[in-house]
Amino acid sequence: MRNKVKVTPAMKRLLTNARFEVLPTPSVEDKVLEFVPKDVPVTVTASTAKGLDTTLGLAERLAAAGYRSVPHVAARMVSGKSELIDLVARIDAAGIDAIFVPAGDQTPPAGDCAGAVDLLADLATIDHSFRHIGVTGYPESHPSISDDVTIQSMWDKRKYATHVISNMTFDASLVQNWVKRMRDRGIHLPLLLG
């Protein structure tokens, strides 16, 4: 006999607002079209090996197929403000109203942006139609950035972002402590937990 899981209102809310994140691989588009309902937002990661063009191409095709697609625009992959202007125009032309801005892993950076806050500051000076701008959060320590720096970074990004998206974690007490630290520091952006 199988045990039934009681779905609480909080679980239902979390599952209703779930997102599906994909890597821009050659076969992923077909799999998304076959298995992911169109009412589930699909985020497309930015890979230094594949470049932003691959990320945006998949995001554009998914948007054209009726998905709410959210491309990752990794700050360290953008060569400068002129490229950012072109990227914004391309994303706007696809009817995409949401982006996620991590710093990214490009080493060294392709341009002037050492991190997400640099790109977000430039983005604030460009006309765009983004209603949703997500930034990173790290309930578990980042492998190369101290916890104090990641919390400070969220503080710096709060004036540009509409929400924080955490990396994946399975430790509820760790998340609770992290959220408390954020809120104690005055970071009150909505939070999407990974």
Side-chain angles (χ1 to χ4, degrees), residues 123-188:
L123 181 64
T125 68
I126 300 169
D127 286 334
H128 62 77
S129 58
F130 304 138
R131 293 179 38 234
H132 307 280
I133 300 173
V135 295
T136 56
Y138 296 96
E140 294 185 301
S141 295
H142 188 282
S144 61
I145 306 171
S146 77
D147 292 344
D148 287 338
V149 171
T150 61
I151 293 288
Q152 180 63 45
S153 179
M154 279 189 290
W155 171 261
D156 295 340
K157 292 183 271 188
R158 82 196 184 294
K159 63 184 172 184
Y160 304 112
T162 59
H163 58 281
V164 174
I165 300 174
S166 79
N167 65 339
M168 191 176 297
T169 185
F170 297 100
D171 185 334
S173 64
L174 192 137
V175 170
Q176 183 178 16
N177 291 335
W178 175 71
V179 171
K180 182 180 181 332
R181 285 185 66 209
M182 281 177 43
R183 299 310 188 217
D184 287 350
R185 282 267 209 39
I187 303 165
H188 297 289

Side-chain angles (χ1 to χ4, degrees), residues 20-93:
F20 197 83
E21 183 170 302
V22 298
L23 300 169
T25 63
S27 63
V28 75
E29 182 176 354
D30 292 336
K31 292 185 183 343
V32 169
L33 294 172
E34 184 176 354
F35 296 111
V36 179
K38 290 211 168 100
D39 62 343
V40 175
V42 179
T43 68
V44 183
T45 63
S47 159
T48 56
K50 298 185 183 306
L52 287 175
D53 188 58
T54 302
T55 296
L56 295 185
L58 178 57
E60 290 165 331
R61 292 189 303 278
L62 292 174
Y67 288 92
R68 179 164 179 252
S69 69
V70 182
H72 290 206
V73 180
R76 294 169 60 91
M77 293 175 69
V78 178
S79 63
K81 189 169 180 180
S82 62
E83 183 183 11
L84 181 60
I85 290 168
D86 292 344
L87 293 171
V88 167
R90 182 175 173 183
I91 296 167
D92 277 346

Side-chain angles (χ1 to χ4, degrees), residues 7-21:
V7 178
T8 66
M11 286 174 61
K12 185 174 182 176
R13 181 180 51 78
L14 290 170
L15 292 171
T16 300
N17 294 308
R19 299 169 136 210
F20 197 83
E21 183 170 302

Side-chain angles (χ1 to χ4, degrees), residues 100-112:
F100 177 66
V101 182
D105 297 326
Q106 177 87 26
T107 304
D112 298 331

